[in-house]
């Protein structure tokens, strides 16, 4: 279903530009410990330095990156680049939750991008929500990373985000849908670095035990490897086809 | 250890680099850095910082070939800039990087304090970068060290400015690429190619200019054989077949 919706959406932007998607895995009957299918198309916008459209199941985010570009003098840092993240909801104006998401992503990106290489410059990341079916935040982080790779921005390492929830009966569900997420007791989102799969950011809400948290951390680190493998496969396909 | 010619991504650690025979040193090009966090403990790790293909040239040069659209100023590059501000002794020129570059009015052939060069806002200049440093604004000149223009200077009399990816510029300037010669054998044209992803083209007529631009744009992802076939086809179209 998500695949069909996305094809239609890309079709609106440029009807000449339909092409094959990179697909992580197809698992219609997935268990609670499996990620949903990730698909991604890179470089779909022509005016920006890097862009991508990333879907995790039905959750779809379109990301674009510009940088290094000129920075507003009020935001200028003398020794590092300023990172500006803009999140655009599907409908309406961005409110408080959207602003906090922007903040979260910009501070995560600050450790990921080699900000010291471009002092007095800025990187701007724009995230457009296309479809929300749960795990929106982790999809945003992954889309931002893919767009940064597409723009060939100097990075220290890559990042991958994974969402895990604790359902009412205490079961841990990886990469939940909107419905599962709404019924959850606790929600956790972890961002891992590609270097040693260590945690670089986390966000959580609800009630959970210490033991549940530790288990989620481990499950997250395992599944982040899948996301990194997806990044590698996608970039390999893209770069080798260009040579 | 990723092999030379394979795709590397940011965070990958590269070991076993070949050093030169005399000093044992290795030259790191774009996309490779020494991990700053590990500098203290002797074993310096070489980390990839840009996604791309790992390349090696004998004896000891390594770099990552990446696809990028944004220009980062590098000393010695020839670039095409757009004059945006005139301020006192300097022109401020947009070269596609995060800052405007400065161009002194004395950095033109034959320019003196009395005899100012005729440069207006909006003019294109073909210039060379002399100062490129992340902490300073880039500085460009339109003369060589002998004070001659040597092809640099203001670009006048029409033509068209094409914006493209940095990779396309590197590709058409490489010795192996037959595109510009093939085009020139049937259509005479003037061109200035800036390493900042800007190409200025002027053919005999508007139609010819457009033909050349289309041919350049099409060649980005094609092999030499495909380029040859494409140019032949375009020329046939142009002459009415």
């Amino acid at each position: 279903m998500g695949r069909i919706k996305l094809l239609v959406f890309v079709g609106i932007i440029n009807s000449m530009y339909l092409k094959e998607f990179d697909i992580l895995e197809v698992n219609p009957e997935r268990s609670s410990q499996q990620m949903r299918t990730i698909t991604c198309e890179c470089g779909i916008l022509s005016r920006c330095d890097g862009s991508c459209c990333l879907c995790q199941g039905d959750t779809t985010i379109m990301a674009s990156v510009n940088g290094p570009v000129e920075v507003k003098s009020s935001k200028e840092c003398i020794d590092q680049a300023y990172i500006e993240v803009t999140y655009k909801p599907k409908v309406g104006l961005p409110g408080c939750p959207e602003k906090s998401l922007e903040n979260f992503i910009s501070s995560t990106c600050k450790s990921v991008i080699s900000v010291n290489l471009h002092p007095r410059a800025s990187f701007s990341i724009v995230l457009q929500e296309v479809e929300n079916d749960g795990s929106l935040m982790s999809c945003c982080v992954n889309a931002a990373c893919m767009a940064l790779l597409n723009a060939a921005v100097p990075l220290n390492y890559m990042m991958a985000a994974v969402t895990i929830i604790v359902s009412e009966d205490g079961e841990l569900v990886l990469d939940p849908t909107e419905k599962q997420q709404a019924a959850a007791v606790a929600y956790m989102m972890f961002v891992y670095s590609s270097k040693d799969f260590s945690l670089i950011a986390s966000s959580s809400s609800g009630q959970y035990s210490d033991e549940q948290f530790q288990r989620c951390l481990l499950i997250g680190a395992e599944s982040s490897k899948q996301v990194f493998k997806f990044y590698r496969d996608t970039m390999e396909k893209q770069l080798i086809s260009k040579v | 250890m990723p092999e030379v010619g394979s795709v590397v991504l940011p965070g990958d650690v590269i070991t076993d680099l070949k050093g030169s025979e005399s000093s044992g040193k290795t030259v790191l090009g774009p996309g490779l850095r020494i991990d700053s966090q590990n500098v203290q403990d002797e074993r310096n790790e070489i980390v990839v910082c840009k996604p791309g293909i790992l390349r090696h040239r004998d004896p000891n040069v390594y770099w990552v070939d990446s696809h990028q659209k944004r220009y980062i100023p590098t000393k010695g590059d020839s670039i095409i800039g757009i004059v945006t501000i005139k301020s006192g002794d300097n022109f401020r020129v947009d070269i596609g990087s995060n800052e405007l570059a400065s161009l002194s009015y004395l950095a033109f052939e034959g320019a003196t304090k009395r005899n100012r060069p005729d440069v207006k806002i909006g003019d294109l200049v073909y210039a060379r970068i002399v100062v490129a440093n992340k902490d300073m604004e880039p500085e460009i000149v339109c003369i060589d060290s002998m004070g001659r223009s040597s092809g640099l200077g203001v670009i006048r009399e029409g033509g068209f400015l094409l914006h493209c990816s940095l990779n396309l510029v590197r590709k058409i300037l490489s010795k192996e690429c037959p595109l510009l010669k093939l085009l020139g054998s049937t259509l005479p044209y003037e061109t200035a190619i800036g390493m900042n992803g800007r190409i200025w083209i002027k053919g005999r007529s508007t139609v010819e200019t457009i033909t050349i631009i289309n041919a350049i744009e099409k060649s980005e992802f094609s092999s030499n054989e495909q380029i040859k076939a494409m140019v032949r086809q375009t020329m046939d179209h142009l002459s009415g077949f």
Side-chain angles (χ1 to χ4, degrees), chain A residues 45-49 66-70 78 114 116-121 149-158 194-195 231-232 235-236 239-240 242-243, chain B residues 7-13 33 35 37 45 47-53 55 65-70 72 96-100 133-137 220-221:
Chain A
L45 305 174
S46 58
R47 303 296 289 267
C48 52
D49 293 339
N66 269 304
V69 288
E70 215 173 331
I78 207 76
S114 309
N116 297 326
L117 286 184
H118 299 287
R120 292 170 298 104
L149 287 176
N150 186 239
V153 169
L155 307 178
N156 293 323
Y157 38 76
M158 296 179 292
S194 70
K195 232 174 166 187
Y231 289 160
R232 192 169 292 272
M235 290 309 286
E236 259 171 23
L239 287 164
I240 286 176
K242 276 183 181 175
V243 174
Chain B
V7 171
V8 288
L9 292 179
D12 289 359
V13 176
R33 301 204 300 138
D35 192 355
Q37 282 146 12
E45 277 185 339
V47 185
V48 176
C49 69
K50 275 183 186 178
I53 296 164
R55 303 274 187 211
D65 215 353
S66 57
H67 279 256
Q68 201 169 351
K69 283 192 195 164
R70 177 71 53 180
I72 314 276
S97 66
N98 63 326
E99 270 181 302
L100 297 177
N133 185 325
K134 67 181 165 109
D135 298 304
M136 289 158 70
E137 70 172 19
E220 181 157 13
F221 300 124

Side-chain angles (χ1 to χ4, degrees), chain B residues 140-153:
Chain B
I140 56 176
V141 291
C142 291
I143 42 172
D144 61 8
S145 55
M146 305 294 285
R148 299 293 179 82
S149 72
S150 63
L152 304 172

